[in-house]
Amino acid sequence: MTKRILFQFDCDPQASSFDAVVAVDSGVDHLVPYAGVQATSIEPLVHGAMFTRGGDDLKNTAIFLGGSDVTLAETLLQCVTDAFFGPVRVSVMMDANGCNTTAAAAVVAAARHLELAGAHAVVLGGTGPVGQRVARLLASDGASVTLTSRSLARAQEACDRVAHDAGENIADRLSAAESGSPDQVGSILAPANIVIACGAAGIQLAEKSDLIAAKDLAVAIDLNAVPPAGLGGIAVMDKAKPISEDSDAVGYGAIGVGGLKMKTHRAAIQSLFESNDKVLNADEIYALAKAVEKQ
């Protein structure tokens, strides 16, 4: 039986031990890690992976793109697909810094508590890779999304980028807002049904009182695992825990959505070996997270 080989191409000086463990736990027979991979050096690595097997055996080789630089990983993904020759190719997944699996798990967790279509969602600290993906996935499923930053210009730039990258008509469901003061945060959250905090580690973006005051809030998710919490009153281990006796909303901490994230990551790795032509990025991994949720 042909062994399943996963090439781990990481742009950091050391390949991620986290991604390596998940790969092994996903049933990979051989993990081949490369660190410090750059756009100028990846093509021969891809050719080595795809030219050593043929026919149906090609599906037993796959590529995982990781590292802490999501922008570079996106460039590497384009370089990988550009190196393919028609049907001579292997499946590839991009999840640098856990950006896709984290965003997918957060949005699927939110959907446990209300229909996304027609919901009003707020993505606090949404200009980073995870925040932009959360906004994209919410909007693609019909939610009206307000993406915030301490700078209105940066928030608008992120909205424009999300709409452009999505390649679909979601621009009218995206709006930018400045969240530089407590009054601004309270005003932004007041009409929200969903709040997902995606800001930098160790920065609180909203007070517990802001969440309680949002009377239509159904679910609040904090993806920050480093104290202080990104959303006041939500602990890192919380999973669908009521945020207060004065609110009907429930909260999730980073580890509270982590179980679904891990299941999605493993399912995505396993799916790479079903065929030799998969390209797993935000939308594809979100679809997998939905399937995992139904299992």
Side-chain angles (χ1 to χ4, degrees):
M1 181 177 178
T2 305
K3 299 292 186 180
R4 291 182 172 183
I5 299 173
L6 182 67
F7 287 92
Q8 179 186 2
F9 296 156
D10 198 306
C11 56
D12 291 341
Q14 298 288 340
S16 167
S17 57
F18 179 97
D19 291 334
V21 172
V22 180
V24 172
D25 286 349
S26 301
V28 171
D29 294 311
H30 297 287
L31 178 67
V32 185
Y34 285 81
V37 177
Q38 301 294 313
T40 54
S41 62
I42 197 170
E43 184 178 76
L45 297 175
V46 177
H47 286 170
M50 61 190 245
F51 287 141
T52 46
R53 289 173 166 174
D56 196 50
D57 283 342
L58 272 172
K59 71 179 183 181
N60 292 306
T61 302
I63 293 170
F64 177 90
L65 299 172
S68 59
D69 189 332
V70 177
T71 300
L72 176 53
E74 287 279 13
T75 299
L76 295 180
L77 178 60
Q78 186 63 56
C79 292
V80 169
T81 56
D82 286 346
F84 294 152
F85 289 87
V88 184
R89 52 190 296 143
V90 297
S91 291
V92 55
M93 171 184 175
M94 197 290 282
D95 195 36
N97 219 22
C99 61
N100 288 322
T101 50
T102 299
V107 176
V108 169
R112 294 169 180 165
H113 303 281
L114 76 170
E115 290 288 335
L116 296 184
H120 183 180
V122 174
V123 182
L124 293 173
T127 59
V130 173
Q132 290 185 45
R133 283 163 171 78
V134 166
R136 171 178 177 161
L137 300 179
L138 286 165
S140 68
D141 270 358
S144 173
V145 181
T146 300
L147 186 153
T148 81
S149 170
R150 286 175 292 182
S151 162
L152 180 60
R154 287 192 64 209
Q156 187 59 59
E157 289 173 3
C159 285
D160 294 342
R161 191 177 305 114
V162 170
H164 176 269
D165 292 346
E168 56 182 286
N169 186 25
I170 64 169
D172 59 346
R173 294 196 289 274
L174 295 168
S175 61
E178 182 178 344
S179 57
S181 72
D183 287 344
Q184 288 174 322
V185 172
S187 177
I188 292 166
L189 295 190
N193 308 123
I194 302 166
V195 175
I196 302 181
C198 305
I203 297 177
Q204 183 167 293
L205 300 175
E207 301 279 353
K208 181 177 181 178
S209 58
D210 294 321
L211 302 179
I212 295 172
K215 299 304 181 183
D216 294 324
L217 185 65
V219 57
I221 298 174
D222 182 11
L223 296 179
N224 172 28
V226 179
L231 296 176
I234 295 181
V236 68
M237 299 289 292
D238 285 354
K239 184 176 181 180
K241 180 181 177 181
I243 64 172
S244 167
E245 294 179 355
D246 301 317
S247 173
D248 294 329
V250 298
Y252 288 80
I255 295 179
V257 297
L260 178 58
K261 173 202 156 33
M262 295 301 295
K263 290 178 182 177
T264 300
H265 193 150
R266 289 192 292 268
I269 293 292
Q270 291 164 358
S271 76
L272 292 174
F273 300 98
E274 294 171 354
S275 68
N276 71 314
D277 59 357
K278 291 180 181 286
V279 178
L280 303 186
N281 205 342
D283 296 332
E284 296 80 12
I285 291 173
Y286 182 43
L288 276 168
K290 289 179 177 180
V292 168
E293 174 76 354
K294 293 178 180 178
Q295 293 175 358

